[in-house]
Amino acid sequence: MRDFYENPAVPVASGDARSLRQARMLAAALGPADSAAGPSTVLDIGCGDGSAARTAAPVLAGHRVIGVDWSQDALRRARSLMSDVVRGELTDGGLPLADNCADAVLFSEVIEHLVDPDAALDELRRVLRPGGHLMLSTPNLAAWYNRALLLAGVQPVFSEVSLRGIHGRPGKEVVGHLRLYTARALREFLTASGFEVVRMAGAPFHGVPRPLRALDRAASLRPGAASILLVHARKPGPGS
């Protein structure tokens, strides 16, 4: 898997539209930057090439965004777009960061790539301060078109059976998805991992064919059927 993600041909960025939507959710949760208290620290874990952070920067103005990834190739590209980047991983020793060091974590299109998502969420909870925010996004196994594809006996979009090619489903790009979640499964998983789910929203997928994009945008109004799941969760604080 390490060799796979160090391959420059493997996509390391999600769509700008959902990155912006996620950033707006986080900005609303954090509120305006407080000059007296100093900027909030936001960790963009799995920052990839930094394009999502660049999209979010105007919305999160005044806050400090730190990119974290373990791919040397991704970090090389991210350094041209982000002022702070750190190499680290969620397992095998954890992130090179102190406990309770972050006010928020952006976790965009990462969890579906992980062998051990349980350990990853444990590590995110460790670095978040009490009351800190987790903004997570991931493809929806139960997206409206996946329900129809399964009924037709076709492999769902976003799922992959090989790292060498796409088999049995639409699409051409191999991106290394190992885990897929429905809205219900993701909510239960986050709760079991010690987070409080504040809000779940949907977002469209840039890979949907153009004639179906209006339908995909409409489906986003119902998270359970949306292409992409966006979740705002919190680490419980004192008195929670």
Side-chain angles (χ1 to χ4, degrees):
M1 290 300 293
R2 290 179 181 273
D3 291 342
F4 177 81
Y5 287 113
E6 291 290 3
N7 181 353
V10 174
V12 289
S14 56
D16 287 347
R18 62 183 177 273
S19 295
L20 183 59
R21 185 174 301 198
Q22 191 174 37
R24 286 171 175 161
M25 289 173 66
L26 178 55
L30 290 174
D34 187 336
S35 57
S40 295
T41 298
V42 179
L43 303 177
D44 183 1
I45 295 183
C47 66
D49 62 6
S51 58
R54 178 184 59 188
T55 299
V59 181
L60 297 174
H63 300 298
R64 183 188 183 197
V65 181
I66 302 172
V68 182
D69 209 297
W70 63 260
S71 168
Q72 295 279 28
D73 179 73
L75 289 176
R76 177 183 56 79
R77 287 181 273 173
R79 285 189 181 96
S80 65
L81 301 175
M82 306 180 70
S83 57
D84 297 301
V85 295
V86 175
R87 188 167 192 262
E89 55 186 304
L90 291 162
T91 55
D92 297 333
L95 298 168
L97 301 166
D99 295 356
N100 308 319
C101 66
D103 299 288
V105 166
L106 283 168
F107 203 48
S108 305
E109 321 290 308
V110 177
I111 197 169
E112 65 271 16
H113 298 269
L114 300 179
V115 173
D116 190 351
D118 301 271
L121 289 186
D122 288 345
E123 187 66 359
L124 298 186
R125 196 175 67 254
R126 180 185 71 80
V127 299
L128 276 172
R129 64 169 177 78
H133 305 280
L134 170 63
M135 295 291 171
L136 181 153
S137 65
T138 191
N140 182 9
L141 175 61
W144 60 275
Y145 41 81
N146 279 346
R147 301 181 190 206
L149 289 173
L150 276 171
L151 286 173
V154 178
Q155 187 82 10
V157 175
F158 308 124
S159 66
E160 295 178 339
V161 299
S162 169
L163 293 179
R164 297 178 181 177
I166 295 299
H167 305 289
R169 72 155 172 85
K172 297 179 180 179
E173 274 188 338
V174 178
V175 293
H177 289 175
L178 303 179
R179 309 278 182 177
L180 288 176
Y181 300 83
T182 64
R184 178 176 178 177
L186 185 58
R187 181 184 293 273
E188 290 184 4
F189 180 41
L190 287 167
T191 301
S193 299
F195 289 93
E196 299 172 346
V197 176
V198 177
R199 180 189 174 199
M200 183 172 288
F205 174 47
H206 64 274
V208 168
R210 189 175 297 276
L212 298 175
R213 288 181 184 174
L215 183 57
D216 192 42
R217 287 193 297 272
S220 297
L221 299 175
R222 185 184 173 200
S227 286
I228 305 295
L229 298 170
L230 303 178
V231 183
H232 172 201
R234 292 176 67 252
K235 175 180 175 178
S240 295

